[in-house]
């Protein structure tokens, strides 16, 4: 026993720097989770330690990375430790920035989408915080101990035994996380899986383990999956159990045969509707349209890693996006029973219009596959005025009117705006709310001004459609693609010295406004989400439920006994019994299988 004790002591004395580097990287991993889980600026570790399902799993991934230290000699050992730590720190930084922007973490799938970064430099900069530099603090500590404390670095030959033992022991704990089973009475499968919440997944696997598992999954997910017979049965049974109310009400066929214009407004949240700053309405034109609209005031975003492109997908297919990566990048050529395909059966001409380039988020290729007759991108417009990421909403919407006027009727035109995209740094000459200095210079003030500008453009667009005689026989649907300022800059709002309670609302709500000239205002309080758009619009247009009942995840919000919705992270808003809740949550899994297998092509 004495010999073993002396032997271990000798190993420690000869490799102090190795053990210190492992410990510091462990602390850094915990700090990352503390920052993400608590959603604060603090890198305090104490909160997150209680959330860790397997601390040995964390150490195991770190030791595997560090174990190659034993294969070097002398100072090359030190160089290796510093290089690995620096590489991991950069990876962690990107994870934090990515999480602030998209609510998930860097993955191999997202690396395949780097073409989307060409015009996002300002947006990316807005996600970087000065306190992120604290992630490099442990490297300075490591350097201090190496230089000042004269930490011994073994100059012997390669330590093959130490390498082999550290590597094998770590692999054993990764393959079979015994400590997690004992301490938490969980199964291995409960750790090695991608959950609805990226926060939970990365906490289970560790920040390093998350990326190892991500690569493993990417290799498995490169192609469409093959569904088992049981999985196909499960999909059919899920749709059979979905709510299907046969009775009709006043809304069925209310707009039968009318043209449909859907406007997906970048980052439009519901909390600005009917609100004023300094006596000025933030969205005066949308507020005006409400007087002749069906207004859904409990409608929620359900986008995932594909953010805005997921908005395109969900409202046109009534499916949740895939859980990993962007659906439009992974499966751009999938077959769907989509809104444009359904409407084409009823004689509609379908047209999708974006003011950015077709390859951006791969939207043009994907929307053609979804079923649009024509897709128009930036190359078809005169880019005579740029704001933020591209063509201004004012110029863009003005140029769309002639396109709509010449379309064959009835038509379905899907329009996506751009100017109100983060980081909401719209130029002063476009600002009209006269905000105080602090608010004007904040992200929230920039958001208010960006939405106010886009609202003005929407008002001009609607008025021009009316002048051209297009509104009498047209329904205009307006909604957001996802949250805006609350999605990216919640902390910035909370840190304002003077704020109003309604500014702090962050509940994933986006407005859904169904406008038709001359109709009376109606407000629908039913809780729903983007997957409900397709069946709800079909109901208003008089489309029979048989066209979408066994392909749409959503339900008709105008004819339902349910009052809840499921968000992309698996959380539920509203009150619902446990059985219905389980069924709804399974809809996320069902959607993933449908898309990942290209299920509708096989039917």
């Amino acid at each position: 026993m004495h010999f073993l004790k002396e032997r271990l002591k000798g190993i420690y004395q000869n490799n102090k720097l190795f053990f210190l580097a492992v410990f510091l990287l462990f602390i850094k991993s915990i700090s990352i989770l503390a920052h993400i889980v608590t959603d604060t600026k603090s890198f305090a570790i104490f909160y997150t330690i209680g959330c860790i399902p397997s601390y040995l799993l964390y150490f195991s991934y770190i030791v595997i990375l560090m174990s190659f230290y034993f294969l070097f000699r002398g100072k090359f050992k030190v160089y290796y430790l510093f290089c690995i730590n620096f590489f991991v720190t950069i990876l962690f930084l990107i994870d934090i920035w990515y999480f602030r922007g998209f609510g998930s973490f860097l993955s191999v799938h997202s690396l395949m989408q780097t073409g989307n970064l060409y015009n996002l430099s300002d947006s990316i900069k807005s996600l970087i915080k000065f306190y992120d530099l604290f992630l490099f603090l442990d490297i300075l500590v490591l350097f201090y101990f190496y230089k000042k404390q004269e930490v011994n670095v073994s100059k012997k030959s390669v330590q093959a035994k130490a390498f082999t033992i550290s590597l094998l022991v770590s692999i054993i704990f990764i393959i079979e996380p015994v400590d997690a089973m004992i301490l938490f009475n969980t199964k291995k499968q409960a750790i090695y899986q991608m959950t609805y919440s990226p926060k939970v997944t990365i906490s289970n696997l560790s920040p390093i383990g998350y990326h190892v598992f991500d690569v493993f999954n990417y290799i498995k997910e490169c192609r469409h999956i093959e569904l088992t017979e049981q999985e196909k049965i499960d999909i059919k049974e899920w749709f059979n159990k979905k709510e299907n109310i046969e009775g009709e009400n006043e809304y069925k066929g209310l707009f039968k045969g009318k043209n449909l214009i859907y406007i997906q407004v970048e980052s439009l949240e519901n909390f600005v509707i009917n609100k004023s700053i300094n006596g000025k309405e933030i969205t005066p034109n949308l507020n005006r349209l409400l007087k002749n609209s069906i207004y859904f005031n409990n409608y929620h975003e359900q986008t995932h890693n594909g953010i805005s492109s997921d908005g395109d997908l969900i409202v046109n297919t009534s499916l949740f996006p895939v859980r990993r990566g962007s659906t439009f990048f992974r499966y751009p050529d999938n077959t769907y029973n989509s809104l444009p395909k359904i409407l084409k059966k009823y004689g509609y001409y379908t047209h999708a219009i974006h003011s950015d380039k077709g390859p951006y988020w791969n939207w043009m290729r994907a929307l053609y596959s979804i079923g649009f007759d024509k897709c128009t991108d930036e190359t078809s417009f005169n880019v005579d005025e740029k704001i933020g990421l591209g063509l201004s909403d004012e110029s863009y919407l003005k140029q769309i009117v002639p396109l709509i006027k010449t379309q064959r009727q009835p038509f379905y035109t899907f329009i996506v705006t751009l100017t109100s995209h983060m980081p909401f740094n719209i130029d002063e000459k476009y600002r009209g709310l006269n905000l105080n200095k602090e608010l004007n210079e904040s992200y929230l003030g920039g958001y208010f001004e960006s939405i106010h500008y886009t609202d003005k453009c929407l008002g001009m667009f609607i008025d021009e459609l009316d002048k051209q005689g297009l509104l009498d026989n047209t329904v205009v649907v307006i909604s957001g693609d996802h949250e805006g300022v609350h999605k990216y800059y919640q902390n910035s709002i909370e840190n304002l010295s003077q704020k109003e309670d309604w500014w702090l609302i962050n509940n994933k709500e986006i407005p859904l406004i169904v406008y038709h000239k001359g109709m009376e205002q109606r407000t629908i309080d039913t809780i729903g989400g983007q997957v409900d758009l397709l069946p709800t619009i079909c109901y208003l247009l008089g489309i029979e439920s048989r066209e979408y009942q066994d392909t749409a995840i959503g339900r008709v919000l105008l004819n339902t006994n349910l009052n809840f919705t499921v968000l992309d992270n698996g959380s539920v808003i509203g009150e619902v019994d446990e059985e219905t809740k389980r069924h709804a949550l399974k809809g996320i899994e069902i959607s993933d299988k449908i898309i990942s297998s290209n299920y509708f092509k096989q039917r």
Side-chain angles (χ1 to χ4, degrees), residues 365-523:
R365 179 178 170 185
L367 289 186
Y368 269 126
S369 294
I370 281 176
F372 283 94
D373 292 315
K374 182 179 180 180
C375 291
T376 298
D377 74 347
E378 181 192 74
T379 59
S380 296
F381 295 102
N382 175 23
V383 185
D384 53 355
E385 181 184 43
K386 281 192 172 185
I387 302 177
L389 300 189
L391 180 62
S392 71
D393 283 349
E394 181 176 354
S395 177
Y396 169 59
L397 293 172
K398 280 181 180 178
Q399 295 182 63
I400 286 177
V401 174
L403 298 179
I404 292 177
K405 188 176 181 180
T406 57
Q407 287 179 160
R408 174 174 58 81
Q409 298 190 33
F411 58 74
Y412 165 38
T413 302
F414 179 71
I415 300 170
V416 178
T417 71
L418 185 61
T419 299
S420 49
H421 194 286
M422 60 146 345
F424 317 123
N425 54 356
I426 190 168
D427 291 345
E428 285 295 330
K429 65 180 178 180
Y430 299 110
R431 298 186 177 220
L433 292 174
N434 299 322
L435 307 176
N436 64 54
K437 187 176 186 298
E438 181 193 27
L439 185 56
N440 191 56
E441 294 176 354
S442 71
Y443 287 117
L444 180 61
Y447 177 76
F448 285 154
E449 292 285 11
S450 298
I451 292 298
H452 184 68
Y453 166 82
T454 296
D455 174 84
K456 180 193 75 171
C457 301
L458 290 172
M460 295 167 61
F461 176 67
I462 297 296
D463 290 343
E464 186 59 30
L465 290 178
D466 195 17
K467 289 180 183 177
Q468 298 296 328
L470 290 167
L471 285 187
D472 293 334
N473 195 41
T474 299
V475 177
V476 181
V477 180
I478 301 173
S479 186
D481 53 355
H482 52 68
E483 282 190 311
V485 68
H486 291 106
K487 189 178 188 70
Y488 303 107
Y489 309 114
Q490 178 75 26
N491 287 342
S492 173
I493 302 173
E494 294 171 354
N495 291 334
L496 290 171
S497 62
Q498 296 181 354
K499 47 187 174 287
E500 298 186 35
D501 291 341
W502 64 272
W503 298 359
L504 301 173
I505 296 173
N506 179 16
N507 53 12
K508 299 282 188 180
E509 278 192 11
I510 54 178
L512 176 59
I513 300 168
V514 181
Y515 167 81
H516 180 58
K517 183 180 177 182
M519 76 173 294
E520 294 182 2
Q521 179 177 359
R522 309 176 193 190
T523 300

Side-chain angles (χ1 to χ4, degrees), residues 224 327-336 362 365-366 369-370 598 601:
H224 283 108
T327 304
F328 279 11
F329 269 98
R330 290 186 60 193
Y331 306 111
D333 302 316
N334 266 23
T335 299
Y336 301 94
N362 217 21
R365 179 178 170 185
S369 294
I370 281 176
N598 203 6
K601 184 177 182 179

Side-chain angles (χ1 to χ4, degrees), residues 351-369:
H351 187 186
I353 308 174
H354 277 239
S355 60
D356 45 29
K357 292 183 174 66
Y360 188 65
W361 285 102
N362 217 21
W363 70 263
M364 180 177 280
R365 179 178 170 185
L367 289 186
Y368 269 126
S369 294

